[in-house]
Amino acid sequence: MGIADADKAATGETTDVVKGQKGRQRAFLKRRSSQFGNGHLQSSWNICTDLQRQWTRRRLRRLLSASGRPSMKFRTKQPTESDLKQRSWSFFWYTLLPMFIVLCLSCCITMYQNGDVVSNFMQRYMSQYRSIVHNKLNYCDRTTMPLHEIFENIRNDVLNQESALNQLEQAMANQSSFQSIALVGSSGLGKSLTLRLLIDQYPWAENVHSIAWNDFELISDEARYNEVSNMLRSLAHCGRNLFIIDNMTPCDKDYVSSINALLLSRSDVAIGSNNDLNLDLKQLTIIYVFNLNRLLADEIYNRQVEVLQQLPQTTVIQYRNFDVKDLEQCVRHEAKVVGMYLDENHVQEMLNTTDVRVSGCKTVRSKVLIYARPEPEDDKGKKQAQIQIQTQNDSRTNTN
């Protein structure tokens, strides 16, 4: 006989024992009730019978469960889904959350005590990130700015201002961490054109910011101060920052010292030469553009130039005034740039109708577009042939 048959036999024996006890108790209670035949005893008999029946059922259930299952000491309750959720939340609130709070506090304390270390780490990280984004090794290196190439390209378009361009290149090549430069001259001499070409070739285009000082929204001193403050918030560690304030007049000369003082008062702006410089500070070049009025008398004009030459902590660069020969060069250069042909009569007419002393070369482009016409096909063919011959000669020279 197997174990299952033994369990069934034990269960049957237990059931017979319980039924025998139940029968004897009922017989006993029935005999007692027959001796007292009143309603009180009859109700007591019913109550006793019900209680006895419930007690018997419970005992039978306990016996059956005890005979068919292992002992309670050796049984383990299987956890339900709600129990698992409760345990998970308990583990989170009483273990993980305190550990996270302690970790955050320790990080904050470490960053507070070692602010320079954290700042240096973030700067190195951003430098590597920018190098990857721009696909250029050492993108943020401030010593890699190709000033010579930049100004060679500027000289191709800004005519007859060699002295001013040389001074500007020398000023920007200076190893000073903070550079304040002022370009002075009348309209049409190439100041704005120089800066536009400089911006197009600047190695860190995201660091260039410009303000038009005569903007109608910047009439009040408060608006101008807010605009300069907004520019200062965008200073970057990567490379060198370039700020340009254009369309200033001699009456705005006092703003130069105020803006320079505001910049130098910041703790994150580098001051001094690069040799004595903390490389983690921000470097800045700010260029002021002053437009002078040539309609004024020469004495007043020269006086304004002398006053601007005395700007504090600023390198002042004066653009020379143009004459008729300079204007003719501007006319022919503009015609060449737009790829148009000008008759000599039109050139002479433009020279006679333009006041070079007042407007310089500012109005030349618009007049060239009015008077010029497309080049003849024969001239184009001749020019192409000349270019091909020149290319062949150059290749032969290089081969030899």
Side-chain angles (χ1 to χ4, degrees), residues 182-375:
L183 305 183
V184 179
S186 60
S187 178
L189 300 182
K191 304 184 300 299
S192 299
L193 178 59
T194 301
L195 295 180
R196 186 167 68 250
L197 296 173
L198 176 62
I199 292 173
D200 293 340
Q201 304 175 75
Y202 200 69
W204 307 284
E206 67 276 7
N207 293 354
V208 179
H209 305 276
S210 61
I211 298 177
W213 204 248
N214 61 346
D215 194 336
F216 70 95
E217 295 182 354
L218 303 178
I219 297 177
S220 63
D221 294 341
E222 182 179 1
R224 291 173 174 176
Y225 176 79
N226 293 334
E227 189 68 19
V228 174
S229 300
N230 292 334
M231 282 203 317
L232 293 180
R233 295 191 189 98
S234 60
L235 285 174
H237 286 92
C238 180
R240 175 180 286 273
N241 299 276
L242 177 62
F243 286 177
I244 298 174
I245 301 181
D246 199 357
N247 297 327
M248 300 183 76
T249 63
C251 299
D252 301 323
K253 61 182 180 61
D254 294 333
Y255 287 105
V256 175
S257 58
S258 301
I259 294 174
N260 289 345
L262 178 63
L263 295 174
L264 296 175
S265 64
R266 294 175 60 93
S267 59
D268 58 343
V269 175
I271 303 173
S273 63
N274 285 342
N275 298 328
D276 304 329
L277 180 62
N278 183 0
L279 297 178
D280 296 327
L281 297 178
K282 303 170 184 177
Q283 294 190 7
L284 172 63
T285 298
I286 183 168
I287 300 178
Y288 306 93
V289 182
F290 285 91
N291 292 325
L292 304 183
N293 188 1
R294 284 298 294 170
L295 293 176
L296 300 175
D298 292 341
E299 182 179 358
I300 299 176
Y301 179 86
N302 295 331
R303 179 58 183 168
Q304 290 179 348
V305 173
E306 293 177 0
V307 171
L308 293 176
Q309 290 286 349
Q310 301 174 3
L311 291 174
Q313 300 177 345
T314 303
T315 302
V316 181
I317 301 173
Q318 182 180 358
Y319 276 59
R320 61 176 289 270
N321 296 322
F322 284 164
D323 54 19
V324 178
K325 293 183 179 180
D326 300 318
L327 179 61
E328 184 178 357
Q329 291 185 13
C330 289
V331 171
R332 299 187 183 280
H333 177 74
E334 290 296 333
K336 182 179 178 181
V337 170
V338 298
M340 306 288 282
Y341 173 75
L342 276 175
D343 293 333
E344 292 298 325
N345 295 333
H346 291 154
V347 173
Q348 193 62 35
E349 183 178 356
M350 292 173 63
L351 296 178
N352 295 333
T353 57
T354 302
D355 190 351
V356 64
R357 181 175 179 273
V358 175
S359 60
C361 295
K362 185 174 286 294
T363 60
V364 169
R365 173 65 68 90
S366 59
K367 292 184 178 181
V368 167
L369 295 176
I370 293 174
Y371 290 106
R373 57 185 176 83
E375 293 185 1

Side-chain angles (χ1 to χ4, degrees), residues 70-123:
S71 177
M72 293 295 294
K73 295 181 180 180
F74 302 98
R75 282 196 304 165
T76 57
K77 183 180 179 182
Q78 295 295 331
T80 61
E81 185 177 357
S82 60
D83 294 337
L84 293 176
K85 289 183 178 180
Q86 185 176 3
R87 292 178 184 177
S88 301
W89 279 108
S90 300
F91 179 74
F92 173 77
W93 286 110
Y94 296 107
T95 305
L96 294 182
L97 185 61
M99 291 176 61
F100 179 74
I101 294 174
V102 171
L103 181 62
C104 291
L105 290 176
S106 61
C107 291
C108 293
I109 294 172
T110 304
M111 292 176 64
Y112 177 77
Q113 294 178 348
N114 303 288
D116 296 337
V117 177
V118 176
S119 178
N120 294 338
F121 170 76
M122 293 303 298
Q123 292 170 20

Side-chain angles (χ1 to χ4, degrees), residues 5-129:
D5 296 335
D7 292 340
K8 290 180 180 179
T11 303
E13 294 176 359
T14 305
T15 306
D16 295 338
V17 171
V18 172
K19 288 182 177 181
Q21 293 179 356
K22 182 178 178 181
R24 289 193 294 271
Q25 290 173 359
R26 286 185 176 180
F28 173 75
L29 292 174
K30 196 170 184 180
R31 288 195 302 269
R32 295 292 295 177
S33 63
S34 61
Q35 297 175 1
F36 304 96
N38 51 29
H40 175 71
L41 291 177
Q42 186 66 30
S43 60
S44 298
W45 157 254
N46 295 333
I47 293 173
C48 292
T49 304
D50 294 337
L51 291 175
Q52 186 66 22
R53 188 181 296 112
Q54 293 178 7
W55 178 81
T56 303
R57 289 176 180 174
R58 291 175 183 176
R59 181 170 179 175
L60 180 61
R61 192 180 298 113
R62 285 197 298 269
L63 291 173
L64 291 173
S65 62
S67 61
R69 298 181 184 179
S71 177
M72 293 295 294
K73 295 181 180 180
F74 302 98
R75 282 196 304 165
T76 57
K77 183 180 179 182
Q78 295 295 331
T80 61
E81 185 177 357
S82 60
D83 294 337
L84 293 176
K85 289 183 178 180
Q86 185 176 3
R87 292 178 184 177
S88 301
W89 279 108
S90 300
F91 179 74
F92 173 77
W93 286 110
Y94 296 107
T95 305
L96 294 182
L97 185 61
M99 291 176 61
F100 179 74
I101 294 174
V102 171
L103 181 62
C104 291
L105 290 176
S106 61
C107 291
C108 293
I109 294 172
T110 304
M111 292 176 64
Y112 177 77
Q113 294 178 348
N114 303 288
D116 296 337
V117 177
V118 176
S119 178
N120 294 338
F121 170 76
M122 293 303 298
Q123 292 170 20
R124 299 295 184 273
Y125 172 79
M126 291 304 299
S127 298
Q128 296 297 328
Y129 172 77

